Amino acid sequence: CGLQMSIYDAAFVIPQICRSGTWPKSLDYLAARSYLFLFANFGLQLFILYMIAQEEQVMDKFAGQMYLCNFGANVYKCPDGPDCIGPGGTNYQNAGRMYDWESWVTRTFVRDSLLKLFPDQTDLIMESIDPGEYGLENYSVRFVCVFIFMMSVISDLRSTLDMVYILWFVPNKAEPWVQYEVPTWATKEQVKEILDLDELDFVKFRIRGIPLKWKILNLFTIILPKCFIWVMTAKNGVMFLMETAGIEDVIVNVTALTFILSLDEMLFHNFSHGALHHVLARLEPFVVEDAEDESLEQAYNNVLEDKKSSMLKFKLLPWPAIATLLLTFGFVGDYYYQHCQGNGKGGLLSQALSLPTSQTFPLGSFFFPWLSVDKESTHYWSPPE
């Protein structure tokens, strides 16, 4: 496995390059700069995620919005389908009565304002003005977009697992990551002329042993924060997509969300020193060598055994795709479990909602999701009967 061109990988690699070079001042500066951008990246990613969580958990509630869940899902089955009763308590009947949140709340406001202004015309207003219902335009496209989003975050998870793999398998000792190697089949000048090389081409960067103290430091300053940001990105990103009602909106949102996990690469490419780009581009991938080389007879027997084996081998399954699908079901299921309830007909609608006691999303609830936001005792919206 290898490392990528990102702030995380720079902070992982450069200190080991410094250590291998006995801490020259110029490399010390690059290492300090890498950690500076690493913490800046933490701040940017966490700030964006915190704002998304505050919008969904706090600000939407002050706007009177309920969770979308499956309101209006598969509207073509209405009026007798499982999700045909909208948050306003009426049947969708067909897609013509379905609106996004902004349109529905505006239409409802106009109707309710007229009822307040002309209470003696209640029957006429209710008969003449139909605000429709807030609902999900297409259930399938929402799920597909969540799956696409999960594909983008699974690649970031794999890069984190590569770091864990390296920390686990490299020796716990200080081995050099930089070596100067000149081929022995000719003089250096002849090698340069024949292969069109320069002096830097003889400098090799390899992932080697890491002292235990550096492994512990990398675990707590890089890997664990990266894992936390990944979980929060996946959780809040899935919730953001599940709360998007329109077909076009959910497609646009899934492309917008992927930038959160690419912030570390953007910072690296735009602000990192050119020397860091050179080192990471030339860093050779880490490979765990087998204890014994395979003999010719063993290789021949393995080929014969492979020919006799079934095509449905365990190792041939597309495990990344399976893991992505399982994570999609897991995070979507968590959204339904946290925010939705059954309607008695096989459908899912929003739980009853109360206003938060504060307009600010508590940091404790953000970093520890099991700590719920303080809410008022009365409900501003309850599921329709």
Side-chain angles (χ1 to χ4, degrees), residues 102-299:
E102 289 79 11
S103 299
W104 180 66
V105 75
T106 301
R107 294 168 67 93
T108 303
F109 172 77
V110 172
R111 184 200 61 184
D112 293 345
S113 298
L114 290 174
L115 289 174
K116 291 288 187 181
L117 291 172
F118 307 104
D120 56 326
Q121 301 293 324
T122 298
D123 294 339
L124 178 60
I125 293 172
M126 295 297 293
E127 180 181 349
S128 304
I129 300 179
D130 179 17
E133 287 286 357
Y134 166 53
L136 175 65
E137 288 186 1
N138 190 287
Y139 177 85
S140 299
V141 73
R142 183 177 69 168
F143 184 83
V144 169
C145 285
V146 172
F147 178 77
I148 293 172
F149 170 68
M150 201 55 61
M151 280 196 296
S152 69
V153 300
I154 200 74
S155 62
D156 189 81
L157 177 62
R158 293 178 70 176
S159 70
T160 306
L161 294 178
D162 284 344
M163 286 188 182
V164 175
Y165 182 89
I166 291 171
L167 288 184
W168 181 263
F169 282 102
V170 299
N172 295 332
K173 56 183 180 180
E175 294 181 340
W177 283 42
V178 185
Q179 291 180 318
Y180 185 80
E181 299 179 357
V182 179
T184 58
W185 51 266
T187 65
K188 183 168 68 171
E189 296 304 323
Q190 291 174 330
V191 171
K192 285 183 178 181
E193 182 178 354
I194 294 172
L195 299 181
D196 192 24
L197 302 178
D198 56 29
E199 197 69 26
L200 285 177
D201 291 319
F202 297 124
V203 179
K204 305 297 181 182
F205 300 97
R206 295 189 178 95
I207 299 174
R208 304 286 299 279
I210 304 175
L212 181 60
K213 61 182 180 181
W214 275 105
K215 287 189 175 184
I216 296 174
L217 182 64
N218 287 334
L219 176 65
F220 285 97
T221 60
I222 300 176
I223 294 177
L224 290 182
K226 194 171 189 286
C227 289
F228 175 79
I229 289 175
W230 184 89
V231 172
M232 297 305 296
T233 301
K235 183 180 179 67
N236 288 287
V238 168
M239 182 177 179
F240 184 67
L241 293 174
M242 294 295 289
E243 286 294 295
T244 305
I247 294 175
E248 294 178 349
D249 293 336
V250 73
I251 294 174
V252 171
N253 287 344
V254 73
T255 59
L257 280 171
T258 56
F259 93 96
I260 298 176
L261 287 176
S262 65
L263 278 174
D264 58 310
E265 297 174 6
M266 292 170 59
L267 284 172
F268 179 80
H269 287 290
N270 290 321
F271 300 133
S272 291
H273 195 277
L276 299 184
H277 293 253
H278 176 83
V279 171
L280 289 180
R282 292 173 175 264
L283 184 67
E284 297 179 7
F286 174 73
V287 178
V288 178
E289 298 179 356
D290 295 331
E292 298 180 359
D293 292 333
E294 187 178 54
S295 66
L296 183 62
E297 182 179 359
Q298 289 174 330

